[in-house]
Amino acid sequence: TQLLEQSPQFLSIQEGENLTVYCNSSSVFSSLQWYRQEPGEGPVLLVTVVTGGEVKKLKRLTFQFGDARKDSSLHITAAQPGDTGLYLCAGDSTGGSYIPTFGRGTSLIVHP
Amino acid sequence: DAGVIQSPRHEVTEMGQEVTLRCKPISGHNSLFWYRQTMMRGLELLIYFNNNVPIDDSGMPEDRFSAKMPNASFSTLKIQPSEPRDSAVYFCASSLPPSGVVFFGPGTRLTVL
C-alpha cells in the first residue's frame, strides 16, 4: 500500500496570506491529483499532474509534481475565505485503471 | 448530468441493525468506488468495481460489509450487523478510465448508536 503523507494537517491563516501544503510518499506514482473537499460534500478534483517536475496553475493555485514523482506541493497565493476546505492529494500507481489512494488531507481555514 | 447520486444522505441506526447505502454513478462511467471517510483514518478505499465486476475488495473491513453492482447504473454497500465503529461518511465515486478523473457523490453520513 502506497502511503501519502500530507502536511501540515491543519492550517489557519488570514485572508491575503500565502501558503504551501505538501504531499509526500516513498513510492513513485504514475499520476497525482489534488482535490478540495468542502463540508458536507464529496471531494472535487482540482488538477492532475503526470510528468516529473510538472507545474500547473489554476488561478491563484500552483501545483508542482516532484522530479522523482514521489511528492507534490500546492501553493496558494493571497488566500481568500473561499479557499477554506480540506485539500487532499491522491496518487495512482496502476498506470491505467486509475485507482486513487488518498492522503489524510490538509484542513485549511482562511479567516476574513 | 446529475453527477453521482447517493442515498440516503444521512442514516442513524442502532447497533446490530442492517444498513444499506445506495449509489447511482454517472451515466457512461464504468468504474465505481466506495470510500469511507473518518477523522482518524481519512479517506479509505473499500471496494472498486470495473464494468460491474468487483476488482479489488481488499479494503472491505470485515465480513459484515458487502457490496454489489447488479448493473451499470446502481450499486449498494451493505453493513450487517452494524456497529458503532462503522460510523463515518461513506462516499461513492465513479470514473471513466483512462481519463483519471474521479467524480464523488455527496456522501452518506452514517451514525450507529
PDB file of all heavy atoms in Angstrom, chain A residues 53-88:
ATOM      1  N   GLY A  53       8.414  17.033 -12.279  1.00  0.00           N
ATOM      2  CA  GLY A  53       8.788  18.436 -12.434  1.00  0.00           C
ATOM      3  C   GLY A  53       7.685  19.319 -12.975  1.00  0.00           C
ATOM      4  O   GLY A  53       7.858  20.536 -13.079  1.00  0.00           O
ATOM      5  N   GLU A  54       6.570  18.733 -13.307  1.00  0.00           N
ATOM      6  CA  GLU A  54       5.473  19.496 -13.913  1.00  0.00           C
ATOM      7  C   GLU A  54       4.918  20.534 -12.942  1.00  0.00           C
ATOM      8  O   GLU A  54       4.794  20.283 -11.749  1.00  0.00           O
ATOM      9  CB  GLU A  54       4.360  18.531 -14.328  1.00  0.00           C
ATOM     10  CG  GLU A  54       3.167  19.180 -15.017  1.00  0.00           C
ATOM     11  CD  GLU A  54       2.144  18.153 -15.476  1.00  0.00           C
ATOM     12  OE1 GLU A  54       2.327  16.950 -15.216  1.00  0.00           O
ATOM     13  OE2 GLU A  54       1.144  18.558 -16.095  1.00  0.00           O
ATOM     14  N   VAL A  55       4.594  21.712 -13.480  1.00  0.00           N
ATOM     15  CA  VAL A  55       3.957  22.780 -12.713  1.00  0.00           C
ATOM     16  C   VAL A  55       2.663  23.159 -13.427  1.00  0.00           C
ATOM     17  O   VAL A  55       2.664  23.399 -14.635  1.00  0.00           O
ATOM     18  CB  VAL A  55       4.869  24.017 -12.593  1.00  0.00           C
ATOM     19  CG1 VAL A  55       4.135  25.149 -11.856  1.00  0.00           C
ATOM     20  CG2 VAL A  55       6.159  23.662 -11.858  1.00  0.00           C
ATOM     21  N   LYS A  56       1.584  23.192 -12.664  1.00  0.00           N
ATOM     22  CA  LYS A  56       0.302  23.637 -13.230  1.00  0.00           C
ATOM     23  C   LYS A  56      -0.260  24.747 -12.369  1.00  0.00           C
ATOM     24  O   LYS A  56      -0.120  24.720 -11.143  1.00  0.00           O
ATOM     25  CB  LYS A  56      -0.688  22.472 -13.307  1.00  0.00           C
ATOM     26  CG  LYS A  56      -0.444  21.516 -14.460  1.00  0.00           C
ATOM     27  CD  LYS A  56      -1.630  20.581 -14.641  1.00  0.00           C
ATOM     28  CE  LYS A  56      -1.448  19.730 -15.886  1.00  0.00           C
ATOM     29  NZ  LYS A  56      -2.586  18.789 -16.085  1.00  0.00           N
ATOM     30  N   LYS A  57      -0.904  25.706 -13.041  1.00  0.00           N
ATOM     31  CA  LYS A  57      -1.504  26.817 -12.310  1.00  0.00           C
ATOM     32  C   LYS A  57      -3.005  26.859 -12.568  1.00  0.00           C
ATOM     33  O   LYS A  57      -3.477  26.657 -13.696  1.00  0.00           O
ATOM     34  CB  LYS A  57      -0.857  28.136 -12.730  1.00  0.00           C
ATOM     35  CG  LYS A  57       0.588  28.266 -12.295  1.00  0.00           C
ATOM     36  CD  LYS A  57       1.118  29.678 -12.484  1.00  0.00           C
ATOM     37  CE  LYS A  57       2.526  29.783 -11.922  1.00  0.00           C
ATOM     38  NZ  LYS A  57       3.063  31.163 -11.991  1.00  0.00           N
ATOM     39  N   LEU A  58      -3.727  27.132 -11.496  1.00  0.00           N
ATOM     40  CA  LEU A  58      -5.175  27.268 -11.558  1.00  0.00           C
ATOM     41  C   LEU A  58      -5.499  28.526 -10.773  1.00  0.00           C
ATOM     42  O   LEU A  58      -5.628  28.506  -9.555  1.00  0.00           O
ATOM     43  CB  LEU A  58      -5.844  26.041 -10.924  1.00  0.00           C
ATOM     44  CG  LEU A  58      -7.361  25.920 -11.005  1.00  0.00           C
ATOM     45  CD1 LEU A  58      -7.799  25.766 -12.450  1.00  0.00           C
ATOM     46  CD2 LEU A  58      -7.841  24.727 -10.189  1.00  0.00           C
ATOM     47  N   LYS A  59      -5.561  29.647 -11.491  1.00  0.00           N
ATOM     48  CA  LYS A  59      -5.766  30.965 -10.873  1.00  0.00           C
ATOM     49  C   LYS A  59      -4.699  31.198  -9.813  1.00  0.00           C
ATOM     50  O   LYS A  59      -3.527  31.309 -10.130  1.00  0.00           O
ATOM     51  CB  LYS A  59      -7.181  31.078 -10.309  1.00  0.00           C
ATOM     52  CG  LYS A  59      -8.270  30.967 -11.377  1.00  0.00           C
ATOM     53  CD  LYS A  59      -9.655  31.160 -10.796  1.00  0.00           C
ATOM     54  CE  LYS A  59     -10.707  31.037 -11.882  1.00  0.00           C
ATOM     55  NZ  LYS A  59     -12.092  31.187 -11.353  1.00  0.00           N
ATOM     56  N   ARG A  60      -5.050  31.295  -8.562  1.00  0.00           N
ATOM     57  CA  ARG A  60      -4.076  31.583  -7.506  1.00  0.00           C
ATOM     58  C   ARG A  60      -3.427  30.317  -6.941  1.00  0.00           C
ATOM     59  O   ARG A  60      -2.625  30.393  -6.002  1.00  0.00           O
ATOM     60  CB  ARG A  60      -4.764  32.343  -6.374  1.00  0.00           C
ATOM     61  CG  ARG A  60      -5.265  33.737  -6.772  1.00  0.00           C
ATOM     62  CD  ARG A  60      -6.060  34.405  -5.636  1.00  0.00           C
ATOM     63  NE  ARG A  60      -7.317  33.686  -5.386  1.00  0.00           N
ATOM     64  CZ  ARG A  60      -7.478  32.824  -4.410  1.00  0.00           C
ATOM     65  NH1 ARG A  60      -6.500  32.546  -3.568  1.00  0.00           N
ATOM     66  NH2 ARG A  60      -8.639  32.221  -4.252  1.00  0.00           N
ATOM     67  N   LEU A  61      -3.765  29.181  -7.490  1.00  0.00           N
ATOM     68  CA  LEU A  61      -3.216  27.910  -7.002  1.00  0.00           C
ATOM     69  C   LEU A  61      -2.139  27.415  -7.955  1.00  0.00           C
ATOM     70  O   LEU A  61      -2.349  27.387  -9.170  1.00  0.00           O
ATOM     71  CB  LEU A  61      -4.334  26.857  -6.904  1.00  0.00           C
ATOM     72  CG  LEU A  61      -5.242  26.867  -5.668  1.00  0.00           C
ATOM     73  CD1 LEU A  61      -6.007  28.169  -5.529  1.00  0.00           C
ATOM     74  CD2 LEU A  61      -6.182  25.687  -5.706  1.00  0.00           C
ATOM     75  N   THR A  62      -0.988  27.028  -7.397  1.00  0.00           N
ATOM     76  CA  THR A  62       0.107  26.482  -8.191  1.00  0.00           C
ATOM     77  C   THR A  62       0.440  25.092  -7.667  1.00  0.00           C
ATOM     78  O   THR A  62       0.702  24.924  -6.469  1.00  0.00           O
ATOM     79  CB  THR A  62       1.356  27.376  -8.110  1.00  0.00           C
ATOM     80  OG1 THR A  62       1.028  28.679  -8.587  1.00  0.00           O
ATOM     81  CG2 THR A  62       2.484  26.798  -8.970  1.00  0.00           C
ATOM     82  N   PHE A  63       0.424  24.122  -8.554  1.00  0.00           N
ATOM     83  CA  PHE A  63       0.679  22.732  -8.207  1.00  0.00           C
ATOM     84  C   PHE A  63       2.000  22.299  -8.835  1.00  0.00           C
ATOM     85  O   PHE A  63       2.270  22.610  -9.992  1.00  0.00           O
ATOM     86  CB  PHE A  63      -0.442  21.837  -8.731  1.00  0.00           C
ATOM     87  CG  PHE A  63      -1.803  22.235  -8.286  1.00  0.00           C
ATOM     88  CD1 PHE A  63      -2.524  23.194  -8.988  1.00  0.00           C
ATOM     89  CD2 PHE A  63      -2.391  21.649  -7.177  1.00  0.00           C
ATOM     90  CE1 PHE A  63      -3.790  23.570  -8.581  1.00  0.00           C
ATOM     91  CE2 PHE A  63      -3.665  22.012  -6.767  1.00  0.00           C
ATOM     92  CZ  PHE A  63      -4.365  22.980  -7.465  1.00  0.00           C
ATOM     93  N   GLN A  64       2.792  21.567  -8.067  1.00  0.00           N
ATOM     94  CA  GLN A  64       4.055  21.073  -8.603  1.00  0.00           C
ATOM     95  C   GLN A  64       4.207  19.592  -8.286  1.00  0.00           C
ATOM     96  O   GLN A  64       3.918  19.150  -7.166  1.00  0.00           O
ATOM     97  CB  GLN A  64       5.238  21.851  -8.032  1.00  0.00           C
ATOM     98  CG  GLN A  64       6.570  21.453  -8.637  1.00  0.00           C
ATOM     99  CD  GLN A  64       7.644  22.490  -8.431  1.00  0.00           C
ATOM    100  OE1 GLN A  64       7.452  23.460  -7.700  1.00  0.00           O
ATOM    101  NE2 GLN A  64       8.785  22.311  -9.063  1.00  0.00           N
ATOM    102  N   PHE A  65       4.672  18.829  -9.260  1.00  0.00           N
ATOM    103  CA  PHE A  65       4.957  17.404  -9.090  1.00  0.00           C
ATOM    104  C   PHE A  65       6.465  17.253  -8.985  1.00  0.00           C
ATOM    105  O   PHE A  65       7.197  17.835  -9.790  1.00  0.00           O
ATOM    106  CB  PHE A  65       4.429  16.639 -10.300  1.00  0.00           C
ATOM    107  CG  PHE A  65       4.180  15.173 -10.092  1.00  0.00           C
ATOM    108  CD1 PHE A  65       4.163  14.596  -8.833  1.00  0.00           C
ATOM    109  CD2 PHE A  65       3.932  14.349 -11.176  1.00  0.00           C
ATOM    110  CE1 PHE A  65       3.916  13.247  -8.655  1.00  0.00           C
ATOM    111  CE2 PHE A  65       3.671  12.992 -11.009  1.00  0.00           C
ATOM    112  CZ  PHE A  65       3.665  12.441  -9.752  1.00  0.00           C
ATOM    113  N   GLY A  66       6.935  16.519  -7.994  1.00  0.00           N
ATOM    114  CA  GLY A  66       8.369  16.362  -7.814  1.00  0.00           C
ATOM    115  C   GLY A  66       9.028  15.663  -8.997  1.00  0.00           C
ATOM    116  O   GLY A  66       8.392  14.887  -9.710  1.00  0.00           O
ATOM    117  N   ASP A  67      10.310  15.943  -9.169  1.00  0.00           N
ATOM    118  CA  ASP A  67      11.054  15.371 -10.288  1.00  0.00           C
ATOM    119  C   ASP A  67      10.991  13.836 -10.292  1.00  0.00           C
ATOM    120  O   ASP A  67      10.922  13.212 -11.358  1.00  0.00           O
ATOM    121  CB  ASP A  67      12.523  15.815 -10.236  1.00  0.00           C
ATOM    122  CG  ASP A  67      12.685  17.295 -10.528  1.00  0.00           C
ATOM    123  OD1 ASP A  67      11.745  17.882 -11.116  1.00  0.00           O
ATOM    124  OD2 ASP A  67      13.726  17.862 -10.168  1.00  0.00           O
ATOM    125  N   ALA A  68      11.018  13.240  -9.099  1.00  0.00           N
ATOM    126  CA  ALA A  68      11.004  11.781  -8.987  1.00  0.00           C
ATOM    127  C   ALA A  68       9.591  11.216  -8.920  1.00  0.00           C
ATOM    128  O   ALA A  68       9.409  10.002  -8.763  1.00  0.00           O
ATOM    129  CB  ALA A  68      11.790  11.351  -7.752  1.00  0.00           C
ATOM    130  N   ARG A  69       8.604  12.061  -9.027  1.00  0.00           N
ATOM    131  CA  ARG A  69       7.184  11.674  -8.988  1.00  0.00           C
ATOM    132  C   ARG A  69       6.812  10.957  -7.691  1.00  0.00           C
ATOM    133  O   ARG A  69       6.009  10.016  -7.672  1.00  0.00           O
ATOM    134  CB  ARG A  69       6.812  10.821 -10.216  1.00  0.00           C
ATOM    135  CG  ARG A  69       6.819  11.628 -11.496  1.00  0.00           C
ATOM    136  CD  ARG A  69       6.309  10.823 -12.674  1.00  0.00           C
ATOM    137  NE  ARG A  69       7.268   9.811 -13.075  1.00  0.00           N
ATOM    138  CZ  ARG A  69       6.971   8.535 -13.271  1.00  0.00           C
ATOM    139  NH1 ARG A  69       5.759   8.101 -13.088  1.00  0.00           N
ATOM    140  NH2 ARG A  69       7.900   7.693 -13.651  1.00  0.00           N
ATOM    141  N   LYS A  70       7.431  11.430  -6.589  1.00  0.00           N
ATOM    142  CA  LYS A  70       7.090  10.871  -5.279  1.00  0.00           C
ATOM    143  C   LYS A  70       6.425  11.909  -4.383  1.00  0.00           C
ATOM    144  O   LYS A  70       5.946  11.561  -3.294  1.00  0.00           O
ATOM    145  CB  LYS A  70       8.357  10.383  -4.574  1.00  0.00           C
ATOM    146  CG  LYS A  70       9.029   9.185  -5.211  1.00  0.00           C
ATOM    147  CD  LYS A  70      10.224   8.761  -4.387  1.00  0.00           C
ATOM    148  CE  LYS A  70      10.901   7.537  -4.969  1.00  0.00           C
ATOM    149  NZ  LYS A  70      12.056   7.115  -4.123  1.00  0.00           N
ATOM    150  N   ASP A  71       6.427  13.172  -4.798  1.00  0.00           N
ATOM    151  CA  ASP A  71       5.889  14.196  -3.925  1.00  0.00           C
ATOM    152  C   ASP A  71       5.300  15.331  -4.743  1.00  0.00           C
ATOM    153  O   ASP A  71       5.564  15.465  -5.949  1.00  0.00           O
ATOM    154  CB  ASP A  71       6.990  14.738  -3.007  1.00  0.00           C
ATOM    155  CG  ASP A  71       8.185  15.255  -3.794  1.00  0.00           C
ATOM    156  OD1 ASP A  71       8.161  16.437  -4.183  1.00  0.00           O
ATOM    157  OD2 ASP A  71       9.105  14.474  -4.059  1.00  0.00           O
ATOM    158  N   SER A  72       4.500  16.141  -4.073  1.00  0.00           N
ATOM    159  CA  SER A  72       3.852  17.253  -4.743  1.00  0.00           C
ATOM    160  C   SER A  72       3.582  18.359  -3.739  1.00  0.00           C
ATOM    161  O   SER A  72       3.539  18.118  -2.520  1.00  0.00           O
ATOM    162  CB  SER A  72       2.536  16.796  -5.382  1.00  0.00           C
ATOM    163  OG  SER A  72       1.897  17.858  -6.067  1.00  0.00           O
ATOM    164  N   SER A  73       3.426  19.563  -4.246  1.00  0.00           N
ATOM    165  CA  SER A  73       3.083  20.689  -3.387  1.00  0.00           C
ATOM    166  C   SER A  73       1.982  21.510  -4.036  1.00  0.00           C
ATOM    167  O   SER A  73       1.817  21.510  -5.269  1.00  0.00           O
ATOM    168  CB  SER A  73       4.308  21.566  -3.120  1.00  0.00           C
ATOM    169  OG  SER A  73       4.774  22.143  -4.323  1.00  0.00           O
ATOM    170  N   LEU A  74       1.248  22.182  -3.173  1.00  0.00           N
ATOM    171  CA  LEU A  74       0.184  23.101  -3.606  1.00  0.00           C
ATOM    172  C   LEU A  74       0.439  24.435  -2.926  1.00  0.00           C
ATOM    173  O   LEU A  74       0.497  24.510  -1.693  1.00  0.00           O
ATOM    174  CB  LEU A  74      -1.186  22.548  -3.199  1.00  0.00           C
ATOM    175  CG  LEU A  74      -2.362  23.539  -3.093  1.00  0.00           C
ATOM    176  CD1 LEU A  74      -2.606  24.248  -4.414  1.00  0.00           C
ATOM    177  CD2 LEU A  74      -3.616  22.827  -2.616  1.00  0.00           C
ATOM    178  N   HIS A  75       0.617  25.470  -3.726  1.00  0.00           N
ATOM    179  CA  HIS A  75       0.862  26.805  -3.194  1.00  0.00           C
ATOM    180  C   HIS A  75      -0.331  27.685  -3.531  1.00  0.00           C
ATOM    181  O   HIS A  75      -0.783  27.710  -4.683  1.00  0.00           O
ATOM    182  CB  HIS A  75       2.143  27.402  -3.795  1.00  0.00           C
ATOM    183  CG  HIS A  75       2.474  28.761  -3.269  1.00  0.00           C
ATOM    184  ND1 HIS A  75       3.080  28.966  -2.054  1.00  0.00           N
ATOM    185  CD2 HIS A  75       2.251  29.988  -3.797  1.00  0.00           C
ATOM    186  CE1 HIS A  75       3.241  30.270  -1.851  1.00  0.00           C
ATOM    187  NE2 HIS A  75       2.747  30.907  -2.886  1.00  0.00           N
ATOM    188  N   ILE A  76      -0.854  28.378  -2.518  1.00  0.00           N
ATOM    189  CA  ILE A  76      -1.959  29.314  -2.737  1.00  0.00           C
ATOM    190  C   ILE A  76      -1.449  30.716  -2.455  1.00  0.00           C
ATOM    191  O   ILE A  76      -0.902  30.987  -1.376  1.00  0.00           O
ATOM    192  CB  ILE A  76      -3.176  28.989  -1.842  1.00  0.00           C
ATOM    193  CG1 ILE A  76      -3.676  27.562  -2.110  1.00  0.00           C
ATOM    194  CG2 ILE A  76      -4.298  30.003  -2.094  1.00  0.00           C
ATOM    195  CD1 ILE A  76      -4.862  27.139  -1.239  1.00  0.00           C
ATOM    196  N   THR A  77      -1.642  31.584  -3.409  1.00  0.00           N
ATOM    197  CA  THR A  77      -1.244  32.991  -3.277  1.00  0.00           C
ATOM    198  C   THR A  77      -2.443  33.829  -2.870  1.00  0.00           C
ATOM    199  O   THR A  77      -3.531  33.660  -3.418  1.00  0.00           O
ATOM    200  CB  THR A  77      -0.685  33.510  -4.606  1.00  0.00           C
ATOM    201  OG1 THR A  77       0.413  32.681  -5.005  1.00  0.00           O
ATOM    202  CG2 THR A  77      -0.224  34.945  -4.492  1.00  0.00           C
ATOM    203  N   ALA A  78      -2.236  34.693  -1.908  1.00  0.00           N
ATOM    204  CA  ALA A  78      -3.293  35.625  -1.461  1.00  0.00           C
ATOM    205  C   ALA A  78      -4.585  34.874  -1.167  1.00  0.00           C
ATOM    206  O   ALA A  78      -5.609  35.087  -1.832  1.00  0.00           O
ATOM    207  CB  ALA A  78      -3.513  36.717  -2.502  1.00  0.00           C
ATOM    208  N   ALA A  79      -4.515  34.009  -0.176  1.00  0.00           N
ATOM    209  CA  ALA A  79      -5.659  33.153   0.142  1.00  0.00           C
ATOM    210  C   ALA A  79      -6.912  33.971   0.451  1.00  0.00           C
ATOM    211  O   ALA A  79      -6.845  35.081   1.022  1.00  0.00           O
ATOM    212  CB  ALA A  79      -5.313  32.258   1.323  1.00  0.00           C
ATOM    213  N   GLN A  80      -8.050  33.387   0.081  1.00  0.00           N
ATOM    214  CA  GLN A  80      -9.346  34.006   0.327  1.00  0.00           C
ATOM    215  C   GLN A  80     -10.225  33.057   1.131  1.00  0.00           C
ATOM    216  O   GLN A  80     -10.005  31.846   1.110  1.00  0.00           O
ATOM    217  CB  GLN A  80     -10.006  34.338  -1.011  1.00  0.00           C
ATOM    218  CG  GLN A  80      -9.203  35.316  -1.854  1.00  0.00           C
ATOM    219  CD  GLN A  80      -9.843  35.600  -3.197  1.00  0.00           C
ATOM    220  OE1 GLN A  80     -10.907  35.066  -3.529  1.00  0.00           O
ATOM    221  NE2 GLN A  80      -9.192  36.434  -3.992  1.00  0.00           N
ATOM    222  N   PRO A  81     -11.226  33.592   1.822  1.00  0.00           N
ATOM    223  CA  PRO A  81     -12.108  32.711   2.616  1.00  0.00           C
ATOM    224  C   PRO A  81     -12.721  31.579   1.792  1.00  0.00           C
ATOM    225  O   PRO A  81     -12.958  30.492   2.314  1.00  0.00           O
ATOM    226  CB  PRO A  81     -13.170  33.679   3.143  1.00  0.00           C
ATOM    227  CG  PRO A  81     -12.446  34.986   3.255  1.00  0.00           C
ATOM    228  CD  PRO A  81     -11.506  35.014   2.069  1.00  0.00           C
ATOM    229  N   GLY A  82     -12.925  31.804   0.509  1.00  0.00           N
ATOM    230  CA  GLY A  82     -13.473  30.767  -0.356  1.00  0.00           C
ATOM    231  C   GLY A  82     -12.534  29.608  -0.583  1.00  0.00           C
ATOM    232  O   GLY A  82     -12.949  28.567  -1.109  1.00  0.00           O
ATOM    233  N   ASP A  83     -11.272  29.763  -0.197  1.00  0.00           N
ATOM    234  CA  ASP A  83     -10.308  28.662  -0.323  1.00  0.00           C
ATOM    235  C   ASP A  83     -10.406  27.686   0.839  1.00  0.00           C
ATOM    236  O   ASP A  83      -9.774  26.634   0.824  1.00  0.00           O
ATOM    237  CB  ASP A  83      -8.874  29.215  -0.379  1.00  0.00           C
ATOM    238  CG  ASP A  83      -8.620  30.079  -1.594  1.00  0.00           C
ATOM    239  OD1 ASP A  83      -9.200  29.808  -2.666  1.00  0.00           O
ATOM    240  OD2 ASP A  83      -7.837  31.057  -1.476  1.00  0.00           O
ATOM    241  N   THR A  84     -11.189  28.034   1.834  1.00  0.00           N
ATOM    242  CA  THR A  84     -11.356  27.164   3.007  1.00  0.00           C
ATOM    243  C   THR A  84     -11.861  25.791   2.583  1.00  0.00           C
ATOM    244  O   THR A  84     -12.778  25.678   1.764  1.00  0.00           O
ATOM    245  CB  THR A  84     -12.336  27.803   3.999  1.00  0.00           C
ATOM    246  OG1 THR A  84     -11.733  28.991   4.542  1.00  0.00           O
ATOM    247  CG2 THR A  84     -12.675  26.850   5.132  1.00  0.00           C
ATOM    248  N   GLY A  85     -11.236  24.748   3.139  1.00  0.00           N
ATOM    249  CA  GLY A  85     -11.657  23.394   2.818  1.00  0.00           C
ATOM    250  C   GLY A  85     -10.580  22.392   3.160  1.00  0.00           C
ATOM    251  O   GLY A  85      -9.525  22.755   3.695  1.00  0.00           O
ATOM    252  N   LEU A  86     -10.843  21.145   2.843  1.00  0.00           N
ATOM    253  CA  LEU A  86      -9.882  20.066   3.053  1.00  0.00           C
ATOM    254  C   LEU A  86      -9.225  19.771   1.718  1.00  0.00           C
ATOM    255  O   LEU A  86      -9.900  19.456   0.739  1.00  0.00           O
ATOM    256  CB  LEU A  86     -10.601  18.818   3.575  1.00  0.00           C
ATOM    257  CG  LEU A  86      -9.739  17.586   3.834  1.00  0.00           C
ATOM    258  CD1 LEU A  86      -8.786  17.837   4.994  1.00  0.00           C
ATOM    259  CD2 LEU A  86     -10.623  16.372   4.129  1.00  0.00           C
ATOM    260  N   TYR A  87      -7.916  19.871   1.671  1.00  0.00           N
ATOM    261  CA  TYR A  87      -7.160  19.623   0.447  1.00  0.00           C
ATOM    262  C   TYR A  87      -6.536  18.236   0.526  1.00  0.00           C
ATOM    263  O   TYR A  87      -5.758  17.932   1.432  1.00  0.00           O
ATOM    264  CB  TYR A  87      -6.089  20.697   0.242  1.00  0.00           C
ATOM    265  CG  TYR A  87      -6.695  22.022  -0.137  1.00  0.00           C
ATOM    266  CD1 TYR A  87      -7.220  22.872   0.836  1.00  0.00           C
ATOM    267  CD2 TYR A  87      -6.799  22.415  -1.468  1.00  0.00           C
ATOM    268  CE1 TYR A  87      -7.820  24.078   0.478  1.00  0.00           C
ATOM    269  CE2 TYR A  87      -7.391  23.612  -1.829  1.00  0.00           C
ATOM    270  CZ  TYR A  87      -7.904  24.427  -0.842  1.00  0.00           C
ATOM    271  OH  TYR A  87      -8.501  25.619  -1.191  1.00  0.00           O
ATOM    272  N   LEU A  88      -6.896  17.417  -0.436  1.00  0.00           N
ATOM    273  CA  LEU A  88      -6.466  16.023  -0.458  1.00  0.00           C
ATOM    274  C   LEU A  88      -5.599  15.758  -1.679  1.00  0.00           C
ATOM    275  O   LEU A  88      -5.931  16.210  -2.777  1.00  0.00           O
ATOM    276  CB  LEU A  88      -7.688  15.094  -0.524  1.00  0.00           C
ATOM    277  CG  LEU A  88      -8.636  15.118   0.671  1.00  0.00           C
ATOM    278  CD1 LEU A  88     -10.038  14.691   0.250  1.00  0.00           C
ATOM    279  CD2 LEU A  88      -8.119  14.197   1.756  1.00  0.00           C
TER     280      LEU A  88
END
